[in-house]
Amino acid sequence: MMENRRNERISKLIHALKRKDKIHLKEAARLLGVSEMTIRRDMSEENTGLVLLGGYIVSNLRHHHHHYFLSDQQSQNVARKRRLAGVAAELIEPDDILFFDCGTTMPWIIDAIPEELPFTAICYAMNTFAALKEKPACRVLLSGGEFSADNAIFMPLGPLSLLETLCPDKAFISAAGINVNQGVTCYNLNELPMKHRALQRAETSILVADSTKYNKVLPVRIGELSQFDMLISDLAPQGDLNRQLAEHQVRLAVADN
């Protein structure tokens, strides 16, 4: 019975998206007469045909095996991302200047930040910006440039960016692979300028990656694990990867189950 109701809600959302390209989560909740959390739970299941991009529901039209599309990754490992997000949000202090990377874990971190907490956020990705603008006490700074539809980021067109004039207190960096020999990697080359600048400028660089990223190598190398001050994950790595963390004094924060 519960599954039937969920399927009915998903069908209504799919039908509504035939008339518009996106639906805000709050609007969807009013349309279906349920809470926003119910919709999040519905969409955390596999094969819904929908994804939650920042604060908006959109159709999942992208499927590709060898490239990163934001819409493909949005519904992956949702439970892990929520746990990591809670740990990351607890690190944020009033009036912090923060850098939020692209990737699907970042909106969960933003959602977990208390509504009344004042902070300044630097971002360059649409999903991150969409989440940040819902925070009433947040000053949002969106770095511009050429838009990339695959990962929904703005790529700097020249040497100047917001990170040339600001030094974040904390930078939350995402990755798709962590490997002893190849270091920290991701899918897309166009993400590197902002990731690298954030690593250089931030007082504390925080890698946020769940345990499915351990011992994986993706095409684009961000840098050595030693460039980060902290790793937030859902499980402690084992073997050589764990020893490397200790050797380079990278703090590990493990989210509770």
Side-chain angles (χ1 to χ4, degrees):
M1 182 68 70
M2 289 182 63
E3 185 175 355
N4 289 340
R5 287 199 296 268
R6 172 187 166 274
N7 291 339
E8 184 179 344
R9 289 192 294 269
I10 293 296
S11 294
K12 286 182 178 179
L13 289 175
I14 292 172
H15 182 73
L17 283 167
K18 291 179 179 178
R19 300 190 297 272
K20 55 175 69 176
D21 61 349
K22 61 184 179 180
I23 302 174
H24 196 279
L25 184 60
K26 292 179 181 177
E27 180 186 349
R30 288 194 297 269
L31 174 67
L32 300 177
V34 296
S35 69
E36 293 179 25
M37 186 55 67
T38 295
I39 297 176
R40 287 186 184 276
R41 283 197 295 267
D42 287 348
M43 296 185 61
S44 68
E45 300 293 331
E46 295 182 359
N47 303 320
T48 63
L50 304 173
V51 292
L52 188 61
L53 186 62
Y56 292 87
I57 299 167
V58 298
S59 296
N60 186 356
L61 301 178
R62 301 274 197 170
H63 293 286
H64 199 292
H65 295 296
H66 304 291
H67 196 66
Y68 178 98
F69 290 112
L70 185 68
S71 57
D72 289 343
Q73 301 296 318
Q74 188 73 33
S75 61
Q76 301 298 311
N77 303 313
V78 169
R80 288 190 179 97
K81 291 172 184 176
R82 283 176 176 159
R83 298 204 301 273
L84 270 57
V87 174
E90 288 179 357
L91 299 173
I92 298 171
E93 300 175 285
D95 300 317
D96 266 351
I97 298 176
L98 307 171
F99 171 82
F100 289 99
D101 199 3
C102 60
T104 55
T105 304
M106 297 296 137
W108 291 107
I109 297 174
I110 295 161
D111 285 348
I113 300 172
E115 297 292 302
E116 69 280 1
L117 185 72
F119 65 100
T120 297
I122 306 163
C123 65
Y124 69 112
M126 282 295 293
N127 65 329
T128 310
F129 174 73
L132 286 166
K133 71 182 182 64
E134 300 298 322
K135 292 292 174 178
C138 175
R139 180 189 181 201
V140 188
L141 305 176
L142 175 63
S143 182
E146 181 181 358
F147 183 69
S148 168
D150 291 356
N151 47 355
I153 69 170
F154 292 92
M155 299 174 290
L157 292 176
L160 296 179
S161 72
L162 284 172
L163 290 173
E164 297 300 325
T165 54
L166 293 172
C167 297
D169 296 291
K170 301 176 181 76
F172 294 100
I173 309 289
S174 62
I178 306 173
N179 178 268
V180 169
N181 296 318
Q182 298 294 351
V184 182
T185 55
C186 64
Y187 286 91
N188 290 315
L189 190 64
N190 61 6
E191 298 173 13
L192 287 188
M194 292 297 283
K195 289 180 189 286
H196 284 170
R197 215 63 181 138
L199 283 169
Q200 292 168 358
R201 295 295 190 194
E203 181 178 346
T204 303
S205 298
I206 303 164
L207 178 61
V208 185
D210 65 68
S211 57
T212 65
K213 312 303 191 297
Y214 293 164
N215 304 312
K216 287 186 177 179
V217 178
L218 279 298
V220 180
R221 191 172 188 272
I222 300 169
E224 298 287 351
L225 186 56
S226 59
Q227 293 178 249
F228 295 87
D229 299 297
M230 176 183 287
L231 167 64
I232 297 177
S233 192
D234 59 308
L235 293 172
Q238 302 297 312
D240 290 340
L241 194 55
N242 193 42
R243 285 190 286 273
Q244 191 173 81
L245 285 176
E247 178 184 347
H248 295 292
Q249 299 182 325
V250 180
R251 287 175 287 158
L252 175 66
V254 177
D256 294 330
N257 291 325

